Amino acid sequence: MKLYKIIFIAVFALPMMMVAQETKDTIATVKEKAVVAVQQDSIVPVEVEYERAAFDGSSLIENQTDRVYSKGTIEMVMNHRFGLVNGTNDLIGIWAPANIRIALTYAITDRITVGVGTTKDSRLQDFSLKVALLKQTVNGKMPVSISYYGNASLSALPKENFYHTSDRWSFFNQIIIAKRLTKAISLQLAPSYSHYNVIDAPMNNDLFALEFGGRLKVNSSMSILLDVNQPFTSQEVAPKSGFSVGTEFSTVGHTFQIFISNYRGIINQQSNMFNQNEFFNGDFAIGFNIARTW
């Protein structure tokens, strides 16, 4: 009798138990796949909404802003600085020798812009790069915009002014941290580093500086601008701080800034390294920037 029970279990019971287990495993697998499929179907991509750029234009009087134009945009820029207003017989600097720069920039992506420009003083040819590293978001997860701006400048003065070709070059690097606080108020903080391959003694080849700027929007097309730049150096003949204040008028595709500034140089490293004008002693000039985009 025991033998019959063993045969019965071996022939009928064990196969039925194995089939039941396989069925159970199959059902569990199907359920698991179904749950995964439902979870995958329920994932909806969230589109990040970026805040508008903190500033209307790509420049804030003497410095760059966080503004990077959309891919394919061309910008033409004209910077003009009259002579100092406290000059003699020059009609508040208008008759005095002026410094002028003309430049073109092109947005190769929505975050990267390249440019080239030429400046009258020292015959400077500059090549620039601007990158939007991080953008301020509407939901506040990214509270500020962070951009990089840099240029390499080549002096085209006659060769007798230089021992080597490399002596013609200077460089500027800046990180721009900007925030659009409200529709009317925007601020930025921008540490920078300037370098000249060759410079007269006892000056240093390198200079660090910190820029602070702001915009107060008066109405849809008019803003008040402030741009302050503080160099940090231990050299005996230290450059003076930069101070600029002005008004900006902006329309679609066009910005116009008129201001007073104690900087005569237009290229950043030139202004940071060599400025000896004291704004509050009356050493300032009238200037304007015009930018047009297509």
Side-chain angles (χ1 to χ4, degrees):
M1 186 65 180
K2 290 183 180 180
L3 181 61
Y4 292 153
K5 288 183 179 180
I6 293 172
I7 296 173
F8 176 83
I9 291 172
V11 175
F12 296 102
L14 286 177
M16 291 177 66
M17 292 171 63
M18 294 175 63
V19 171
Q21 182 62 44
E22 289 179 357
T23 304
K24 183 178 179 181
D25 293 341
T26 303
I27 293 172
T29 303
V30 171
K31 287 183 178 180
E32 184 179 349
K33 290 182 178 179
V35 170
V36 171
V38 170
Q39 289 177 345
Q40 290 178 344
D41 292 340
S42 63
I43 296 175
V44 178
V46 178
E47 184 176 351
V48 178
E49 185 178 358
Y50 294 113
E51 185 65 81
R52 289 186 60 182
F55 299 87
D56 289 336
S58 60
S59 67
L60 178 62
I61 305 183
E62 301 288 359
N63 283 275
Q64 291 290 308
T65 70
D66 68 323
R67 184 69 186 269
V68 176
Y69 294 106
S70 57
K71 180 180 178 180
T73 299
I74 298 174
E75 180 186 36
M76 182 175 183
V77 180
M78 180 178 181
N79 311 109
H80 194 287
R81 307 291 184 269
F82 294 104
L84 296 179
V85 299
N86 59 4
T88 303
N89 191 31
D90 58 11
L91 192 62
I92 60 171
I94 296 176
W95 293 344
N99 192 17
I100 303 169
R101 175 178 178 264
I102 297 176
L104 282 174
T105 66
Y106 178 73
I108 58 178
T109 73
D110 290 339
R111 288 178 177 259
I112 301 175
T113 298
V114 294
V116 60
T118 182
T119 304
K120 175 187 171 185
D121 284 5
S122 300
R123 301 183 186 179
L124 300 176
Q125 322 305 312
D126 62 275
F127 310 91
S128 63
L129 171 68
K130 192 173 186 180
V131 181
L133 302 173
L134 298 171
K135 292 186 178 183
Q136 183 179 347
T137 57
V138 173
N139 61 14
K141 289 187 176 181
M142 177 49 64
V144 297
S145 294
I146 301 178
S147 303
Y148 164 79
Y149 173 77
N151 74 50
S153 179
L154 171 71
S155 174
L157 289 173
K159 62 181 180 180
E160 54 265 24
N161 291 277
F162 308 96
Y163 287 107
H164 309 285
T165 301
S166 61
D167 298 348
R168 298 176 179 271
W169 288 95
S170 63
F171 306 90
F172 179 78
N173 294 278
Q174 188 175 50
I175 296 295
I176 303 164
I177 305 167
K179 184 173 181 62
R180 188 171 188 253
L181 296 174
T182 68
K183 291 182 179 180
I185 301 175
S186 297
L187 299 174
Q188 75 172 31
L189 195 67
S192 67
Y193 166 72
S194 302
H195 172 82
Y196 275 78
N197 282 354
V198 172
I199 199 165
D200 294 334
M203 297 180 67
N204 299 326
N205 296 76
D206 306 294
L207 179 73
F208 291 94
L210 182 65
E211 184 265 351
F212 171 78
R215 180 197 71 169
L216 175 63
K217 205 168 183 65
V218 179
N219 55 43
S220 59
S221 60
M222 178 181 173
S223 301
I224 297 172
L225 306 178
L226 175 68
D227 184 15
V228 181
N229 197 71
Q230 178 60 52
F232 297 96
T233 179
S234 59
Q235 62 191 32
E236 295 181 6
V237 184
K240 307 301 181 183
S241 302
F243 188 92
S244 308
V245 61
T247 304
E248 179 181 70
F249 302 91
S250 59
T251 60
V252 177
H254 179 226
T255 58
F256 174 75
Q257 300 173 354
I258 184 167
F259 51 85
I260 54 175
S261 173
N262 64 327
Y263 278 158
R264 175 173 176 82
I266 299 175
I267 297 299
N268 298 95
Q269 57 266 45
Q270 186 181 36
S271 296
N272 288 2
M273 191 75 76
F274 301 111
N275 178 55
Q276 291 299 317
N277 296 326
E278 290 272 14
F279 183 92
F280 295 101
N281 288 341
D283 299 334
F284 57 83
I286 299 171
F288 63 83
N289 298 329
I290 301 174
R292 180 73 171 91
T293 57
W294 293 272

PDB file of all heavy atoms in Angstrom, residues 13-27:
ATOM      1  N   ALA A  13       0.913  13.897  -8.242  1.00  0.00           N
ATOM      2  CA  ALA A  13       0.925  15.047  -7.335  1.00  0.00           C
ATOM      3  C   ALA A  13       2.064  16.008  -7.645  1.00  0.00           C
ATOM      4  O   ALA A  13       1.870  17.230  -7.745  1.00  0.00           O
ATOM      5  CB  ALA A  13       1.017  14.559  -5.889  1.00  0.00           C
ATOM      6  N   LEU A  14       3.293  15.485  -7.822  1.00  0.00           N
ATOM      7  CA  LEU A  14       4.430  16.371  -8.062  1.00  0.00           C
ATOM      8  C   LEU A  14       4.303  17.181  -9.355  1.00  0.00           C
ATOM      9  O   LEU A  14       4.551  18.389  -9.366  1.00  0.00           O
ATOM     10  CB  LEU A  14       5.729  15.548  -8.069  1.00  0.00           C
ATOM     11  CG  LEU A  14       6.209  15.068  -6.681  1.00  0.00           C
ATOM     12  CD1 LEU A  14       7.462  14.213  -6.819  1.00  0.00           C
ATOM     13  CD2 LEU A  14       6.468  16.247  -5.763  1.00  0.00           C
ATOM     14  N   PRO A  15       3.899  16.537 -10.503  1.00  0.00           N
ATOM     15  CA  PRO A  15       3.724  17.353 -11.714  1.00  0.00           C
ATOM     16  C   PRO A  15       2.677  18.431 -11.545  1.00  0.00           C
ATOM     17  O   PRO A  15       2.838  19.552 -12.055  1.00  0.00           O
ATOM     18  CB  PRO A  15       3.302  16.309 -12.758  1.00  0.00           C
ATOM     19  CG  PRO A  15       3.889  15.043 -12.274  1.00  0.00           C
ATOM     20  CD  PRO A  15       3.784  15.102 -10.801  1.00  0.00           C
ATOM     21  N   MET A  16       1.577  18.126 -10.831  1.00  0.00           N
ATOM     22  CA  MET A  16       0.533  19.132 -10.634  1.00  0.00           C
ATOM     23  C   MET A  16       1.055  20.297  -9.799  1.00  0.00           C
ATOM     24  O   MET A  16       0.745  21.472 -10.056  1.00  0.00           O
ATOM     25  CB  MET A  16      -0.675  18.491  -9.957  1.00  0.00           C
ATOM     26  CG  MET A  16      -1.427  17.504 -10.852  1.00  0.00           C
ATOM     27  SD  MET A  16      -2.790  16.709 -10.004  1.00  0.00           S
ATOM     28  CE  MET A  16      -3.834  18.124  -9.732  1.00  0.00           C
ATOM     29  N   MET A  17       1.874  20.015  -8.761  1.00  0.00           N
ATOM     30  CA  MET A  17       2.443  21.067  -7.938  1.00  0.00           C
ATOM     31  C   MET A  17       3.395  21.942  -8.748  1.00  0.00           C
ATOM     32  O   MET A  17       3.415  23.175  -8.613  1.00  0.00           O
ATOM     33  CB  MET A  17       3.183  20.456  -6.746  1.00  0.00           C
ATOM     34  CG  MET A  17       2.264  19.780  -5.724  1.00  0.00           C
ATOM     35  SD  MET A  17       3.179  18.847  -4.472  1.00  0.00           S
ATOM     36  CE  MET A  17       4.079  20.174  -3.714  1.00  0.00           C
ATOM     37  N   MET A  18       4.181  21.345  -9.637  1.00  0.00           N
ATOM     38  CA  MET A  18       5.119  22.099 -10.470  1.00  0.00           C
ATOM     39  C   MET A  18       4.380  23.004 -11.447  1.00  0.00           C
ATOM     40  O   MET A  18       4.734  24.164 -11.653  1.00  0.00           O
ATOM     41  CB  MET A  18       6.036  21.132 -11.238  1.00  0.00           C
ATOM     42  CG  MET A  18       6.973  20.341 -10.328  1.00  0.00           C
ATOM     43  SD  MET A  18       7.946  19.093 -11.215  1.00  0.00           S
ATOM     44  CE  MET A  18       8.897  20.141 -12.302  1.00  0.00           C
ATOM     45  N   VAL A  19       3.308  22.477 -12.048  1.00  0.00           N
ATOM     46  CA  VAL A  19       2.493  23.282 -12.970  1.00  0.00           C
ATOM     47  C   VAL A  19       1.883  24.466 -12.249  1.00  0.00           C
ATOM     48  O   VAL A  19       1.842  25.599 -12.745  1.00  0.00           O
ATOM     49  CB  VAL A  19       1.417  22.409 -13.642  1.00  0.00           C
ATOM     50  CG1 VAL A  19       0.446  23.286 -14.418  1.00  0.00           C
ATOM     51  CG2 VAL A  19       2.056  21.388 -14.564  1.00  0.00           C
ATOM     52  N   ALA A  20       1.385  24.203 -11.032  1.00  0.00           N
ATOM     53  CA  ALA A  20       0.764  25.269 -10.257  1.00  0.00           C
ATOM     54  C   ALA A  20       1.772  26.365  -9.930  1.00  0.00           C
ATOM     55  O   ALA A  20       1.485  27.562  -9.989  1.00  0.00           O
ATOM     56  CB  ALA A  20       0.158  24.701  -8.981  1.00  0.00           C
ATOM     57  N   GLN A  21       3.016  25.962  -9.586  1.00  0.00           N
ATOM     58  CA  GLN A  21       4.048  26.952  -9.252  1.00  0.00           C
ATOM     59  C   GLN A  21       4.428  27.777 -10.472  1.00  0.00           C
ATOM     60  O   GLN A  21       4.603  28.988 -10.406  1.00  0.00           O
ATOM     61  CB  GLN A  21       5.283  26.224  -8.704  1.00  0.00           C
ATOM     62  CG  GLN A  21       6.412  27.164  -8.272  1.00  0.00           C
ATOM     63  CD  GLN A  21       5.987  28.080  -7.161  1.00  0.00           C
ATOM     64  OE1 GLN A  21       5.340  27.640  -6.219  1.00  0.00           O
ATOM     65  NE2 GLN A  21       6.317  29.354  -7.268  1.00  0.00           N
ATOM     66  N   GLU A  22       4.561  27.103 -11.653  1.00  0.00           N
ATOM     67  CA  GLU A  22       4.888  27.829 -12.881  1.00  0.00           C
ATOM     68  C   GLU A  22       3.806  28.828 -13.234  1.00  0.00           C
ATOM     69  O   GLU A  22       4.068  29.947 -13.653  1.00  0.00           O
ATOM     70  CB  GLU A  22       5.082  26.830 -14.031  1.00  0.00           C
ATOM     71  CG  GLU A  22       6.361  26.012 -13.904  1.00  0.00           C
ATOM     72  CD  GLU A  22       6.512  25.020 -15.042  1.00  0.00           C
ATOM     73  OE1 GLU A  22       5.585  24.941 -15.877  1.00  0.00           O
ATOM     74  OE2 GLU A  22       7.547  24.348 -15.086  1.00  0.00           O
ATOM     75  N   THR A  23       2.539  28.395 -13.033  1.00  0.00           N
ATOM     76  CA  THR A  23       1.422  29.306 -13.313  1.00  0.00           C
ATOM     77  C   THR A  23       1.467  30.521 -12.403  1.00  0.00           C
ATOM     78  O   THR A  23       1.256  31.662 -12.817  1.00  0.00           O
ATOM     79  CB  THR A  23       0.085  28.561 -13.145  1.00  0.00           C
ATOM     80  OG1 THR A  23       0.085  27.419 -13.978  1.00  0.00           O
ATOM     81  CG2 THR A  23      -1.074  29.469 -13.484  1.00  0.00           C
ATOM     82  N   LYS A  24       1.765  30.266 -11.119  1.00  0.00           N
ATOM     83  CA  LYS A  24       1.839  31.348 -10.148  1.00  0.00           C
ATOM     84  C   LYS A  24       2.956  32.321 -10.526  1.00  0.00           C
ATOM     85  O   LYS A  24       2.791  33.550 -10.475  1.00  0.00           O
ATOM     86  CB  LYS A  24       2.077  30.754  -8.771  1.00  0.00           C
ATOM     87  CG  LYS A  24       2.107  31.797  -7.661  1.00  0.00           C
ATOM     88  CD  LYS A  24       2.303  31.124  -6.309  1.00  0.00           C
ATOM     89  CE  LYS A  24       2.350  32.179  -5.207  1.00  0.00           C
ATOM     90  NZ  LYS A  24       2.565  31.549  -3.878  1.00  0.00           N
ATOM     91  N   ASP A  25       4.148  31.765 -10.900  1.00  0.00           N
ATOM     92  CA  ASP A  25       5.266  32.620 -11.291  1.00  0.00           C
ATOM     93  C   ASP A  25       4.951  33.435 -12.534  1.00  0.00           C
ATOM     94  O   ASP A  25       5.311  34.609 -12.645  1.00  0.00           O
ATOM     95  CB  ASP A  25       6.515  31.767 -11.546  1.00  0.00           C
ATOM     96  CG  ASP A  25       7.027  31.126 -10.255  1.00  0.00           C
ATOM     97  OD1 ASP A  25       6.640  31.623  -9.174  1.00  0.00           O
ATOM     98  OD2 ASP A  25       7.799  30.150 -10.346  1.00  0.00           O
ATOM     99  N   THR A  26       4.253  32.811 -13.500  1.00  0.00           N
ATOM    100  CA  THR A  26       3.879  33.506 -14.735  1.00  0.00           C
ATOM    101  C   THR A  26       2.944  34.665 -14.447  1.00  0.00           C
ATOM    102  O   THR A  26       3.089  35.768 -14.976  1.00  0.00           O
ATOM    103  CB  THR A  26       3.216  32.528 -15.721  1.00  0.00           C
ATOM    104  OG1 THR A  26       4.110  31.454 -15.970  1.00  0.00           O
ATOM    105  CG2 THR A  26       2.863  33.236 -17.025  1.00  0.00           C
ATOM    106  N   ILE A  27       1.948  34.443 -13.589  1.00  0.00           N
ATOM    107  CA  ILE A  27       0.986  35.499 -13.233  1.00  0.00           C
ATOM    108  C   ILE A  27       1.698  36.655 -12.533  1.00  0.00           C
ATOM    109  O   ILE A  27       1.450  37.828 -12.810  1.00  0.00           O
ATOM    110  CB  ILE A  27      -0.133  34.924 -12.335  1.00  0.00           C
ATOM    111  CG1 ILE A  27      -0.973  33.936 -13.136  1.00  0.00           C
ATOM    112  CG2 ILE A  27      -0.994  36.042 -11.775  1.00  0.00           C
ATOM    113  CD1 ILE A  27      -1.984  33.178 -12.289  1.00  0.00           C
TER     114      ILE A  27
END
